[in-house]
Amino acid sequence: MLDIKDFAFFEKQNSFDFKAFLIKTGSYWRWFVLGLALSLFVAYQVNIRKQKIYSLETTLAVKEQENPLFTNNTSLIFNWGGTSDQVQTIATTLKSRSHNELVIDKLSFYVDYLKEEKYFTEDVYGYTPFLVHLDKTKDQMLGNPMNIRFVSPNEYELTTHFSSNSVPLINYSTNVKSTQSVVSGDYKKRFKVGQKVNLPFLSWTLDIKDLPGNYVGQKYIVKLNNFDDVVTQYRNVKVSIDEKAGSIIKLSLQGTNKARIVDYLNETVRMLMKKQLESKNLFAENTIKYIDTTLTLMEQNLKEANNDLKDFSKGRNVLEIEKRGETYQLQIQELDLARDAVTRKINYFNALNSYLKNSKDYSKLPAPSVAGIDEPNIINNVAQLIALSVRRSEMAYSVKSELMFNNIDNEIAAVKRVLLENVAAAKVAIETESNQINRKIQQSEGKIEKLPEESQDYLRITRKFNLSNSVIDAYLQKRNEAQIVKAANLSDVQFIDPAKDIGGGLIGPRTGVNYVIALFVGLLIPLLIVFLIFFINNAIQNAEDISSLTNIPLIGVIGVKHTSSNLAVFEKPKSALSESFRALRSSLQFLYKKQNKEGSKTLMLTSTVSGEGKTFCSINIATVFAISEKKTVIVGLDLRKPKIFDDFNLKNKVGIVNYLIGENSLDEIVQKTKIPYLDVITSGPIPPNPSELIMGETMREFIEELKLRYDYIILDTPPVGLVTDAIELAPFADVTLYIMRQNFTKKEMVSLINNRVQRDELSNVSIVLNGFENKAKYGTGYGYGYGYGYGYGNYSNGYHEEDAPITFWDKIRDFIKKGLQKK
């Protein structure tokens, strides 16, 4: 069982080598390409299946448009409580239920115009060639999609499916819901364009818009929705007040249909302007109503006075009578007008006092100027009371907070108290003025009594006529003022920038972000996989790993080849890789010298498993010997899967197998190569009994015969961890090179060679680390492309159970077990 130190990530190998990690990551570039391709494909599929989302906005300004009716000249002032209060009120109104009910009803937004696309159902409001006009007094089918297909320019087919024997209905004029019995299944019928459709579940007229293009054959879907649900949806409109300019409001709305957004934003502002103007005109209308009521009484008085004047004039010289009292007439007329003005003020104060005490809705108060009142405190407080009353009525549909109602009620109560005190004080002053005028009138009337009785009667009749006529003229002037102001009134809400589709506004789906996320995920997942592999990798990484696992000497380190074939030394003799093989040649010569080996020398190469580079090393070690003008031969003894001939472009028709079975002589199986002094003996046809052939006496004779001809004999053998062929060939080798490959040979495989050496199955063994990346401890970059798939059959011949490679999961299990034992 391996010791815990074998875990690379639990000992010194757990130190993170970033450069090595990058090299490792680069070797898995195909994973990254695949991950990126897959994640980008997924992002593309997600993007094309999502509808585009747009956000449009409109900007409006709240500015008090001064009403001439409420100016200092007419002693009337109108104020909604200040611009800031008005802005807050408007912001609340725009999100209110009552306001949005008016907007949705005006636009008929409870009607959906849809079209089936490849991946979703698209809202095509504003882009359909037709419009439906519902009879709001009739019940309409609620929620069930109705398919419209134009069979001709003047005829369409209506199709719908009833899933049950009844359908829900809604009456949009009353917002009352009901049900209607139907026959379950498909319903299909054709109607003329412009024809009134009267069905138990539908009542509408479909009209064609004046749009160019051929719509015949086009299919659309019309769906009627719950009115309250649609209103709730649009109450989510975003209302924001500009922090720098408190009178500026921005409205924004998101959706999949820009035409619908534009219509809603503009209509909601137009509806607000209309309602605000109506509220503003309300005070002018109240004034007109007050004046009209007063004029009705005054006209009656004037009519009576006129009749009396006509009756008096019959048979009398009116000019002579008028001339006698002309001096008193002008004087008493001025006093009568002054007393009437004072009386109107007192009456207004009395009415206002009674109204304040007995009413709760103060929005119907007439303007104080109709009574000639110009007291600033009264004017301002009446205007403020009107504004607060209007605000409260607006809040009733949009605000549910009792606290806010209590606050505004407290404000109204406070203003009302102050106004009552103002009225009381002003009334005292007016009554004093009234007493003074009455005294003057009494003095004038005393002088009139000295005139003849006929002149007194005439003055009495003309006083009544002139007073009524003057008062009527004054009221008519006020009424004309009110009508002119009402006609010229402007809303305090004005468009700055109406909503408009100018081609922008796209906010989703965030395709760019999705692709960035896909790019990130596509890189991250393979990176995490490589990261895990990097830390759980239990392969040989460097010379220190080998020295910590075995006492067998390491005599050579071979780098990574960068040539297309295995003839690295021959093709690039001055490369660093060639130098590493020359260094290995020097080490081998030292070993031979140490053994006092003279004459022909034999070298065997083997490894634990395939793919570690035995053939590559065999070819290039042989090449460096041949380059030094030593007669060298490579013998391909991998009889089960021969391949050494490919690198030399040789044929494998005859080889050592033919020699061992006595078919061919040595001369017939030796093949020359393009490298001087280097020959190759391939394995030949695959035999049914490779181990038995190698174990025969003929093999010994073969080696002896080679020693007579060559200075160096290179035996390229099968992996010792899979078959026993190399064990059988070991006695013929002066030196055995055990090839290990960086980042490929597992650490637990080192135990195999240790066991072989301990049992004396292999001797004179040295290790060569192949595929070493000199830039870092780790790295692959090894390009042999072995992919062995050996298929050696029964390995029991010479393969011991204790030599079996230990799996990663075995090590995990042993590690946990050791940890528990220590506890």
Side-chain angles (χ1 to χ4, degrees):
M1 186 176 294
L2 295 180
D3 192 83
I4 190 173
K5 67 181 182 180
D6 292 333
F7 276 123
F9 49 88
F10 286 119
E11 275 296 324
K12 61 183 178 180
Q13 296 300 325
N14 68 346
S15 58
F16 187 75
D17 191 324
F18 185 70
K19 186 184 292 185
F21 178 68
L22 290 178
I23 296 170
K24 182 74 172 180
T25 302
S27 67
Y28 290 96
W29 63 269
R30 292 180 181 84
W31 291 17
F32 288 93
V33 172
L34 179 62
L36 282 175
L38 184 60
S39 59
L40 291 174
F41 176 76
V42 171
Y44 170 76
Q45 293 297 323
V46 169
N47 287 339
I48 63 175
R49 282 168 170 78
K50 284 187 175 181
Q51 294 195 63
K52 294 182 178 179
I53 300 175
Y54 301 92
S55 178
L56 300 178
E57 67 178 23
T58 183
T59 307
L60 54 100
V62 180
K63 182 179 180 182
E64 292 184 40
Q65 301 291 338
E66 188 175 277
N67 190 326
L69 180 62
F70 301 103
T71 63
N72 290 329
N73 293 333
T74 55
S75 301
L76 284 166
I77 295 175
F78 172 66
N79 189 301
W80 276 44
T83 302
S84 60
D85 288 343
Q86 187 176 4
V87 169
Q88 292 294 338
T89 301
I90 288 174
T92 303
T93 301
L94 288 167
K95 296 176 73 70
S96 68
R97 178 182 57 81
S98 59
H99 172 78
N100 280 282
E101 283 179 350
L102 295 174
V103 177
I104 298 306
D105 184 65
K106 177 70 180 297
L107 295 172
S108 297
F109 266 16
Y110 41 78
V111 181
D112 277 349
Y113 298 88
L114 309 171
K115 191 173 184 180
E116 285 289 347
E117 297 296 340
K118 185 176 180 180
Y119 298 111
F120 49 80
T121 302
E122 183 181 8
D123 180 2
V124 289
Y125 167 86
Y127 305 104
T128 59
F130 67 94
L131 282 175
V132 294
H133 304 282
L134 298 177
D135 185 348
K136 296 182 181 180
T137 63
K138 301 291 182 66
D139 293 340
Q140 310 289 350
M141 182 167 58
L142 180 63
N144 211 40
M146 293 171 283
N147 297 298
I148 304 295
R149 184 177 68 87
F150 287 94
V151 295
S152 71
N154 298 314
E155 188 177 16
Y156 66 92
E157 184 178 74
L158 172 65
T159 307
T160 189
H161 177 77
F162 301 121
S163 57
S164 64
N165 293 325
S166 65
V167 292
L169 303 178
I170 186 171
N171 187 301
Y172 285 111
S173 62
T174 61
N175 203 24
V176 174
K177 299 180 181 65
S178 59
T179 57
Q180 173 66 44
S181 298
V182 294
V183 179
S184 63
D186 292 332
Y187 175 88
K188 182 185 294 186
K189 192 172 182 179
R190 293 189 178 186
F191 299 94
K192 296 291 184 181
V193 171
Q195 175 186 352
K196 177 70 175 179
V197 176
N198 284 308
L199 299 173
F201 55 87
L202 184 65
S203 180
W204 76 16
T205 302
L206 186 148
D207 294 325
I208 294 296
K209 296 191 292 186
D210 187 16
L211 292 175
N214 184 17
Y215 52 84
V216 176
Q218 294 291 320
K219 296 180 180 179
Y220 299 92
I221 300 172
V222 176
K223 183 182 175 184
L224 307 181
N225 299 299
N226 188 309
F227 182 80
D228 291 334
D229 292 344
V230 177
V231 171
T232 301
Q233 173 188 346
Y234 283 92
R235 288 183 67 185
N236 293 324
V237 61
K238 185 179 179 181
V239 182
S240 57
I241 301 173
D242 196 308
E243 295 180 356
K244 297 181 179 179
S247 62
I248 304 298
I249 297 178
K250 288 186 178 180
L251 291 179
S252 61
L253 186 67
Q254 296 180 5
T256 59
N257 184 292
K258 290 199 282 187
R260 189 182 290 274
I261 298 173
V262 168
D263 286 354
Y264 171 80
L265 290 177
N266 290 334
E267 184 58 36
T268 193
V269 176
R270 282 193 290 265
M271 186 64 69
L272 177 69
M273 294 169 65
K274 178 183 176 183
K275 289 177 65 180
Q276 198 268 343
L277 186 58
E278 288 175 352
S279 297
K280 210 170 186 183
N281 287 336
L282 175 65
F283 310 109
E285 291 172 357
N286 291 341
T287 302
I288 292 172
K289 288 179 183 179
Y290 180 86
I291 293 173
D292 287 344
T293 302
T294 305
L295 283 175
T296 302
L297 297 174
M298 297 306 298
E299 286 173 356
Q300 182 64 30
N301 293 337
L302 181 62
K303 185 177 180 181
E304 292 176 357
N306 188 47
N307 291 333
D308 291 342
L309 186 60
K310 287 180 179 179
D311 292 339
F312 180 83
S313 300
K314 291 178 180 179
R316 291 186 175 91
N317 188 352
V318 177
L319 293 176
E320 183 64 27
I321 295 171
E322 182 180 8
K323 187 176 181 180
R324 282 185 235 153
E326 185 175 1
T327 303
Y328 301 105
Q329 184 179 2
L330 294 175
Q331 184 180 5
I332 198 71
Q333 184 177 350
E334 291 178 0
L335 291 172
D336 284 340
L337 289 174
R339 183 171 63 179
D340 181 74
V342 170
T343 301
R344 280 190 284 123
K345 291 180 181 180
I346 293 173
N347 291 339
Y348 182 87
F349 286 142
N350 290 336
L352 179 61
N353 190 69
S354 176
Y355 197 88
L356 292 175
K357 291 180 178 180
N358 301 321
S359 179
K360 293 183 178 180
D361 182 10
Y362 309 107
S363 61
K364 297 181 180 180
L365 285 174
S369 68
V370 298
I373 298 172
D374 56 2
E375 174 62 34
N377 290 332
I378 294 176
I379 293 171
N380 290 333
N381 287 326
V382 167
Q384 190 173 358
L385 191 61
I386 292 170
L388 289 171
S389 183
V390 172
R391 280 179 57 194
R392 195 185 192 286
S393 64
E394 293 287 344
M395 289 170 58
Y397 293 99
S398 57
V399 177
K400 304 300 180 184
S401 172
E402 289 294 331
L403 179 61
M404 295 186 68
F405 279 111
N406 291 336
N407 290 339
I408 197 168
D409 286 342
N410 292 335
E411 288 186 54
I412 290 174
V415 173
K416 188 168 70 172
R417 285 193 300 271
V418 173
L419 185 57
L420 286 171
E421 293 176 0
N422 293 336
V423 168
K427 191 175 178 182
V428 171
I430 291 296
E431 287 175 347
T432 301
E433 183 181 355
S434 177
N435 292 332
Q436 293 175 354
I437 293 173
N438 286 332
R439 283 195 298 270
K440 291 180 180 180
I441 290 175
Q442 288 175 0
Q443 293 174 1
S444 297
E445 287 177 344
K447 295 178 182 179
I448 292 173
E449 288 177 354
K450 296 177 181 179
L451 294 174
E453 185 177 350
E454 192 176 52
S455 296
Q456 293 182 36
D457 291 339
Y458 179 76
L459 286 175
R460 177 178 54 79
I461 294 171
T462 54
R463 279 178 66 188
K464 182 179 179 181
F465 178 83
N466 291 334
L467 178 61
S468 298
N469 193 50
S470 297
V471 171
I472 287 174
D473 288 343
Y475 273 112
L476 286 176
Q477 182 181 355
K478 292 290 184 182
R479 192 179 190 281
N480 288 335
E481 265 185 41
Q483 287 180 328
I484 291 172
V485 168
K486 180 182 175 182
N489 241 344
L490 295 174
S491 173
D492 290 349
V493 179
Q494 300 294 328
F495 268 121
I496 291 181
D497 192 10
K500 185 178 181 181
D501 179 12
I502 56 175
L506 182 65
I507 62 170
R510 302 173 69 183
T511 55
V513 174
N514 289 344
Y515 284 124
V516 171
I517 293 174
L519 188 66
F520 177 75
V521 172
L523 291 173
L524 179 62
I525 292 178
L527 192 65
L528 289 175
I529 294 174
V530 174
F531 190 80
L532 290 174
I533 292 175
F534 182 79
F535 275 100
I536 67 175
N537 185 10
N538 198 34
I540 296 294
Q541 304 294 343
N542 48 50
E544 289 78 7
D545 288 347
I546 297 175
S547 62
S548 65
L549 297 172
T550 182
N551 293 323
I552 300 173
L554 175 68
I555 68 163
V557 176
I558 306 300
V560 179
K561 83 177 183 70
H562 300 286
T563 56
S564 57
S565 71
N566 284 334
L567 302 177
V569 173
F570 178 73
E571 292 179 355
K572 294 184 177 181
K574 295 183 179 181
S575 65
L577 184 64
S578 299
E579 291 301 323
S580 64
F581 278 107
R582 291 188 179 95
L584 180 58
R585 177 184 63 187
S586 299
S587 298
L588 289 173
Q589 289 174 342
F590 174 78
L591 292 177
Y592 290 132
K593 184 176 182 180
K594 187 177 179 180
Q595 296 177 16
N596 296 319
K597 186 67 178 175
E598 300 293 341
S600 180
K601 303 171 184 64
T602 307
L603 176 66
M604 182 179 78
L605 286 86
T606 187
S607 65
T608 308
V609 293
S610 62
E612 292 173 300
K614 298 179 303 298
T615 301
F616 170 73
C617 291
S618 298
I619 291 173
N620 287 282
I621 290 173
T623 301
V624 295
F625 281 127
I627 289 175
S628 61
E629 297 184 354
K630 300 293 183 181
K631 295 183 64 178
T632 308
V633 63
I634 304 174
V635 182
L637 289 171
D638 191 347
L639 305 184
R640 291 172 176 80
K641 195 166 185 179
K643 57 184 176 297
I644 198 170
F645 53 90
D646 287 336
D647 297 291
F648 295 99
N649 295 322
L650 302 176
K651 295 181 179 180
N652 191 35
K653 291 183 179 180
V654 294
I656 188 172
V657 172
N658 303 90
Y659 179 90
L660 294 177
I661 63 175
E663 281 188 355
N664 296 93
S665 64
L666 181 59
D667 293 329
E668 293 174 337
I669 63 173
V670 172
Q671 300 186 59
K672 299 292 183 180
T673 69
K674 57 185 175 181
I675 302 174
Y677 298 98
L678 179 60
D679 295 339
V680 173
I681 299 175
T682 63
S683 59
I686 300 175
N689 54 346
S691 296
E692 285 73 9
L693 283 176
I694 291 174
M695 293 171 61
E697 185 64 27
T698 310
M699 186 67 198
R700 183 177 297 277
E701 295 174 359
F702 173 74
I703 296 297
E704 293 298 330
E705 192 169 354
L706 287 178
K707 289 182 177 181
L708 297 175
R709 299 189 180 192
Y710 295 97
D711 298 319
Y712 289 95
I713 303 167
I714 311 299
L715 305 180
D716 181 34
T717 65
V720 72
L722 299 179
V723 294
T724 60
D725 293 8
I727 303 299
E728 302 298 333
L729 292 169
F732 303 115
D734 299 320
V735 174
T736 299
L737 292 184
Y738 200 91
I739 308 300
M740 295 182 181
R741 178 178 159 192
Q742 183 192 46
N743 211 41
F744 185 88
T745 303
K746 303 301 179 184
K747 292 180 180 179
E748 55 264 26
M749 294 178 180
V750 179
S751 61
L752 177 65
I753 183 62
N754 287 335
N755 293 334
R756 298 291 190 188
V757 173
Q758 289 175 5
R759 292 196 294 264
D760 292 329
E761 294 175 355
L762 293 173
S763 59
N764 299 323
V765 180
S766 296
I767 295 175
V768 174
L769 179 59
N770 184 33
F772 182 77
E773 186 69 47
N774 196 34
K775 295 180 181 179
K777 293 181 181 178
Y778 314 110
T780 52
Y782 198 72
Y784 302 127
Y786 266 59
Y788 224 90
Y790 229 73
Y792 277 111
N794 187 359
Y795 305 151
S796 60
N797 185 10
Y799 188 77
H800 301 283
E801 185 177 356
E802 63 267 26
D803 296 338
I806 300 173
T807 66
F808 172 76
W809 299 111
D810 293 332
K811 298 178 72 174
I812 290 290
R813 184 182 63 250
D814 292 342
F815 173 72
I816 295 173
K817 185 176 179 181
K818 284 186 177 182
L820 293 174
Q821 289 174 351
K822 288 182 179 180
K823 288 185 178 181

